[in-house]
Amino acid sequence: EVQLVESGGGLVQAGGSLRLSCAASGFTFDDYAIGWLRQAPGKEREGVSCISSRHGTTSYAESVTCRFTISRDNAKNTVYLQMNNLKPEDTAVYYCNADIWVQHYNDFYEYWGQGTQVTVSS
């Protein structure tokens, strides 16, 4: 069973830092890109960052560039999102996400974690 489990959220003051983790299981972790997305109250879900499979190529939303860093530890089946210089507008539920090939469906299926709340106070 594919599982993505986020952790590391919390309450932090503006300018502070948090590190989110996404622990994955149930699939060959090395073979898949993993993304972080977030959803603030009353807003649509938006992409934050993504990291490719084996070579670890990264991409970031413009709003978080130079503040957030995504990384992966393939030995631990975990992706991290280091968030520095946090701003109140970063407040949201953060989700990790992956499109995994499912043999039963003969197609890719999009999996999501349960999310972790990040709240940045001003």
Side-chain angles (χ1 to χ4, degrees):
E1 179 186 5
V2 172
Q3 284 194 322
L4 299 170
V5 180
E6 302 96 335
S7 61
L11 173 64
V12 64
Q13 289 188 331
S17 299
L18 284 173
R19 188 177 81 155
L20 305 183
S21 299
C22 173
S25 61
F27 62 98
T28 306
F29 184 75
D30 301 22
D31 288 347
Y32 292 93
I34 305 292
W36 282 99
L37 298 92
R38 66 187 181 186
Q39 188 165 22
K43 295 187 177 180
E44 292 187 355
R45 195 170 291 185
E46 64 171 348
V48 174
S49 183
C50 185
I51 187 165
S52 70
S53 54
R54 298 180 186 276
H55 297 291
T57 303
T58 60
S59 63
Y60 298 93
E62 185 174 348
S63 59
V64 306
T65 298
C66 297
R67 298 189 299 122
F68 290 12
T69 302
I70 191 171
S71 62
R72 65 190 295 157
D73 185 338
N74 288 341
K76 295 183 178 180
N77 285 10
T78 301
V79 170
Y80 303 99
L81 186 68
Q82 178 67 44
M83 306 186 296
N84 298 329
N85 190 21
L86 283 160
K87 303 176 180 181
E89 50 264 43
D90 295 318
T91 295
V93 178
Y94 284 71
Y95 301 89
C96 60
N97 155 276
D99 289 331
I100 306 299
W101 178 262
V102 179
Q103 189 68 35
H104 177 74
Y105 299 134
N106 197 32
D107 200 350
F108 287 91
Y109 186 83
E110 189 174 33
Y111 287 91
W112 295 84
Q114 82 289 350
T116 185
Q117 176 70 47
V118 172
T119 303
V120 184
S121 62
S122 58

